[in-house]
Amino acid sequence: MPKITYVENNGKSHTVEIDKGLTVMEGAIQNNIPGIDGDCGGSMACATCHVYVKEEWYDKINEKSEGEDDMLDQAFEPNKFSRLSCQISVTDEIDGLIVDLPKKQ
Amino acid sequence: MIKTDALIIGAGPTGLFTAHQLNIIGLKCEIVDNLDKIGGQCIELYPDKPIYDIPAVPECTGEELTNNLINQLKPFDIKFHLNERVDEVKNEKGYWHVKTNNGTVFYTPNVIIAGGVGSFEPRKFTPKECEQYEGKSIFYSIKDKNIFKDKTVSIFGGGDSALDWAVELSANSKVNLIHRRDEFRGAQSTLNKVYELEKEGRINLFTKYQLKNPRGNGKLDSIDIQNENKEIKNLKTDYVLGFFGLIMQLGPIANWGLNLNKKTIEVDTEKFETNQKGIYAVGDICSYPGKLKLILSGFHEGALAARACFKLARPDEKYRFEFTTSSSSILKRLGKKSD
């Protein structure tokens, strides 16, 4: 199973194995990772699963969905590596992905 | 003070169907919602998105579902209190006194929380320093646009609210429009108007910038904005407006002494009652072993909570289960003739 690392804003790091086919948001919720809310359940309607993808991974993950940038406008402190983790699917290609979590959602 | 059999907090699908279930069994209810319209997340977050898992409805949008639920409530007299947030709850001799931020007070034996993931609140600016100016020079909604006349107003955001207000206020104010990227998501026609006004020098546009810091001594006099390359600009401004959409917060409910589990409220699965007698939680906001956050689950939870309300609202009567197909009293409540 692909391993994903979530790094909380305080530096605490969680590496978990996530089933292929899930999203990075779902992986965080199922593993009780603090700092990702996913309030709308993955319908890209709330911007509470915002993450910063590590620079070296940014171009390797699937591209932004239509409307994702519109939602990211509403996220807390977005930057150029911001993504909604509900729109990143877990595949073998992203085994080892590291995402940083914002100060708050 | 409004006396009612049950107060429902939240006018989303679960709250609406719970109101139906209360009225079917002969109980009166009132509904409070913080949004300005009925429908909850279905209307605020995904009015146009199709939903495929409502029983017996193969496909419908959030807006269609809401309209159908409102139609289903037509036979009943239900008062909605929109734009109001429930702030305080206290118990007096078995009755709940519930007060909203507008000062409305309800007096009821039953409070049903159907609050989804909480109430919708505006997203705020990041820098902590903004707090001291909020409500004075920094706003997230506009109540009286006249205060901006002949002043400088800096508007942040890339959606319709930001664009609409930029256009509107540019008539009588000096307007700065600041957005974190150079694409806007508002209506193209409004955007064209913004570009036109920019050419005429009526709107100053700053894209790829975000608010870094408000400046002032008790009274706001300028703001620092910063772009991705950490370049900072200082803009003189009297007012700052932020339009970043809404975020859901549990809000004052968190202080009601209910057993919470993350952002949800723990309930039993017989009455969907919380640890407080007469306070129930249904829909996405409740949690119990096996909880599914589906609209259909909210309908079931509301139906059972409504039956539990009967006991407290009509302590001297016995609740009798009846079907809508055959009960003459239910048909009467629905305004239908019985055979």
Side-chain angles (χ1 to χ4, degrees), chain B residues 104-135:
Chain B
T104 313
V105 180
F106 299 93
Y107 180 69
T108 178
N110 298 297
V111 178
I112 303 176
I113 303 169
V117 263
S119 62
F120 287 89
E121 311 275 345
R123 277 181 191 269
K124 299 187 168 179
F125 285 107
T126 310
K128 249 204 130 15
E129 296 77 21
C130 289
E131 277 173 27
Q132 56 176 307
Y133 300 108
E134 280 170 13

Side-chain angles (χ1 to χ4, degrees), chain B residues 279-296:
Chain B
I279 299 188
Y280 313 82
V282 293
D284 284 358
I285 205 162
C286 75
S287 73
Y288 52 86
K291 166 69 186 169
L292 277 181
K293 285 194 180 186
L294 291 179
I295 292 172
L296 70 93

Side-chain angles (χ1 to χ4, degrees), chain A residues 32 43 46 70 74 77, chain B residues 49 123 126 181 185 262:
Chain A
N32 289 316
S43 61
C46 77
D70 291 343
Q74 305 184 18
E77 291 192 329
Chain B
K49 283 196 182 167
R123 277 181 191 269
T126 310
R181 52 193 179 108
R185 63 178 189 282
K262 284 190 189 164

Side-chain angles (χ1 to χ4, degrees), chain B residues 48-286:
Chain B
D48 307 321
K49 283 196 182 167
I51 308 170
Y52 298 102
D53 56 358
I54 307 295
V57 182
E59 180 180 343
C60 72
T61 65
E63 187 175 12
E64 285 161 356
L65 179 75
T66 302
N67 289 339
N68 282 341
L69 284 161
I70 294 172
N71 279 337
Q72 207 167 7
L73 293 178
K74 279 241 171 85
F76 311 119
D77 175 30
I78 296 168
K79 177 108 178 34
F80 285 88
H81 304 265
L82 299 175
N83 275 320
E84 284 193 63
R85 190 183 71 187
V86 169
D87 274 356
E88 290 169 36
V89 167
K90 61 175 189 226
N91 196 295
E92 252 172 51
K93 294 176 193 150
Y95 272 79
W96 293 103
H97 288 244
V98 183
K99 201 172 162 192
T100 72
N101 58 343
N102 280 9
T104 313
V105 180
F106 299 93
Y107 180 69
T108 178
N110 298 297
V111 178
I112 303 176
I113 303 169
V117 263
S119 62
F120 287 89
E121 311 275 345
R123 277 181 191 269
K124 299 187 168 179
F125 285 107
T126 310
K128 249 204 130 15
E129 296 77 21
C130 289
E131 277 173 27
Q132 56 176 307
Y133 300 108
E134 280 170 13
K136 287 178 265 177
S137 323
I138 299 184
F139 299 97
Y140 300 99
S141 64
I142 293 178
K143 287 202 178 78
D144 175 14
K145 63 174 182 177
N146 295 318
I147 62 169
F148 305 117
K149 196 167 184 292
D150 301 325
K151 303 280 184 186
T152 303
V153 185
S154 299
I155 301 175
F156 287 80
D160 282 316
S161 305
L163 297 178
D164 288 347
W165 281 114
V167 170
E168 166 130 20
L169 295 180
S170 69
N172 292 310
S173 316
K174 188 171 177 297
V175 171
N176 299 318
L177 178 60
I178 304 114
H179 182 40
R180 73 164 188 103
R181 52 193 179 108
D182 46 17
E183 282 166 57
F184 288 83
R185 63 178 189 282
Q188 191 58 45
S189 57
T190 322
L191 189 54
N192 294 343
K193 185 92 193 143
V194 166
Y195 288 136
E196 223 172 89
L197 288 163
E198 190 202 8
K199 263 190 217 146
E200 294 168 19
R202 308 259 297 278
I203 291 179
N204 293 312
L205 205 52
F206 300 91
T207 53
K208 298 192 169 174
Y209 276 92
Q210 298 185 58
L211 181 68
K212 167 91 171 106
N213 205 25
R215 286 180 179 274
N217 214 336
K219 190 179 171 293
L220 183 74
D221 53 44
S222 72
I223 47 171
D224 289 338
I225 58 173
Q226 187 182 46
N227 68 9
E228 275 173 7
N229 304 324
K230 307 270 181 211
E231 291 159 1
I232 293 179
K233 270 189 174 78
N234 181 267
L235 305 177
K236 288 262 171 272
T237 195
D238 299 300
Y239 292 102
V240 173
L241 300 170
F243 296 109
F244 305 114
L246 301 167
I247 185 168
M248 293 160 279
Q249 309 256 340
L250 200 46
I253 292 176
N255 309 320
W256 291 0
L258 305 174
N259 286 344
L260 299 179
N261 179 357
K262 284 190 189 164
K263 283 160 117 182
T264 58
I265 303 168
E266 291 179 356
V267 292
D268 67 59
T269 49
E270 182 194 344
K271 303 172 177 170
F272 294 88
E273 196 166 33
T274 65
N275 57 317
Q276 301 277 0
K277 191 174 159 65
I279 299 188
Y280 313 82
V282 293
D284 284 358
I285 205 162
C286 75

